[in-house]
Amino acid sequence: SYLSGITPNPCVICNQQVKIAALLSLAGEWGFDAVATGHYAVTADFNGVRLLSCARNAAKSQEYFLCFLKPSDLLRCIFPVGEAGKSDTRCIAREAELPVAEKKDSQDICFIPKNKELWEVFPDRMPIKPGCIVDQSGKAVGEHKGFYFYTIGQRKGLNLNLGVPYFVTGIDPEKNLLIVGEESFLYTQVFRVGELNVFYAGFASLDLSVKVRFSSRTLPCKVRVTDSEAIVMLSEPARAVTPGQIACFYHQEFVVAAGVILAEGFQQKQGIQ
């Protein structure tokens, strides 16, 4: 994904293809009815459909990272800490004398060693490959060390001295270019998503909000579905909507669908103030 100029969300993919998929497969082989995980999420029924929902502790809620599970998976998954706070869970772990009771919260990609970057772990896949940094007009303003080291909205590491802060606003992997601009060029109000994972049929007719990153706030939106893709129209511009990241759609506290943000189809950035 990085080599294609997009920024993936490994945790969503891992939960979908590795953790939950592998555990459910084993559970089936061993004759178990369900799998329990430590994710902070809950499942609940909405109009007779089992859906993911936000955990009691909103700051720790992880339903976003589970939004690419199959709808049928939700019938076989149990999230026992979804109704608990993190301190409650640690207390239970201490009482059970579990060695992870005091373990720090995991951050970023769990298999990348502490203080290491992704490209340091996979140097043969992500070598230093310098290229040109250009502004919105196409004028060269600097040099980067490899487009896959950067993501939309990034400022750190550009080493530009142009009088005002510049941010990555686009990536062109074919030309090995980074496109930069002032912060106003980071805002997008219309974008497309693909690889739709639908939990609730007809979700587009509901009152919806969307998260474009785990750390972002939810924004009201309207969605028009076309085949396996959707056009998303936000109620207000969002900062740094990034191809490869996951758009998670909510109705109230319920996750009703999710998809991968596509590089194509962005509304032209107009320098929105």
Side-chain angles (χ1 to χ4, degrees), residues 3-236:
L3 296 176
S4 299
I6 63 177
T7 305
N9 188 307
C11 297
V12 173
I13 299 166
C14 179
N15 282 325
Q16 174 204 27
Q17 298 184 12
V18 181
K19 289 182 179 177
I20 305 299
L23 284 171
L24 286 174
S25 177
L26 281 174
E29 291 178 19
W30 294 345
F32 289 96
D33 298 319
V35 161
T37 83
H39 291 96
Y40 284 87
V42 298
T43 56
D45 290 342
F46 175 73
N47 289 346
V49 180
R50 180 66 55 87
L51 298 176
L52 282 166
S53 186
C54 300
R56 188 191 81 186
N57 184 347
K60 293 291 184 183
S61 194
Q62 295 175 308
E63 79 292 331
Y64 177 91
F65 295 114
L66 299 167
C67 67
F68 258 42
L69 299 186
K70 297 177 182 177
S72 58
D73 292 343
L74 297 184
L75 301 175
R76 301 174 59 210
C77 285
I78 301 171
F79 306 110
V81 299
E83 299 289 353
K86 192 63 176 271
S87 59
D88 300 327
T89 306
R90 289 191 184 280
C91 183
I92 295 169
R94 288 189 201 101
E95 291 175 356
E97 299 182 354
L98 297 180
V100 294
E102 309 301 332
K103 184 180 178 182
K104 290 184 178 180
D105 292 356
S106 60
Q107 300 286 337
D108 301 319
I109 306 174
C110 62
F111 59 81
I112 299 299
K114 186 178 180 180
N115 300 324
K116 288 278 190 178
E117 299 288 353
L118 187 65
W119 42 89
E120 294 178 281
V121 179
F122 302 110
D124 55 329
R125 299 291 302 277
M126 304 178 80
I128 299 296
K129 186 181 178 182
C132 199
I133 301 175
V134 300
D135 64 14
Q136 297 292 311
S137 68
K139 176 185 175 182
V141 294
E143 185 178 84
H144 65 76
K145 60 182 180 181
F147 65 82
Y148 31 73
F149 298 142
Y150 306 84
T151 187
I152 303 299
Q154 182 172 334
R155 180 186 176 191
K156 183 179 178 181
L158 292 176
N159 299 319
L160 299 177
N161 186 14
L162 301 173
V164 294
Y166 267 55
F167 303 81
V168 177
T169 62
I171 298 172
D172 187 335
E174 292 186 5
K175 297 180 180 179
N176 194 21
L177 292 178
L178 275 190
I179 303 155
V180 298
E182 295 182 42
E183 187 170 19
S184 59
F185 286 93
L186 285 175
Y187 288 84
T188 302
Q189 199 157 359
V190 178
F191 60 94
R192 287 172 55 232
V193 298
E195 300 180 44
L196 276 180
N197 186 44
V198 176
F199 292 101
Y200 189 83
F203 77 97
S205 64
L206 301 172
D207 290 331
L208 295 176
S209 59
V210 64
K211 268 189 177 186
V212 295
R213 283 180 185 260
F214 170 68
S215 58
S216 70
R217 62 189 179 96
T218 55
L219 291 174
C221 69
K222 293 187 181 298
V223 174
R224 186 167 75 244
V225 178
T226 59
D227 298 325
S228 61
E229 297 182 359
I231 299 172
V232 183
M233 295 151 281
L234 300 172
S235 62
E236 61 183 83

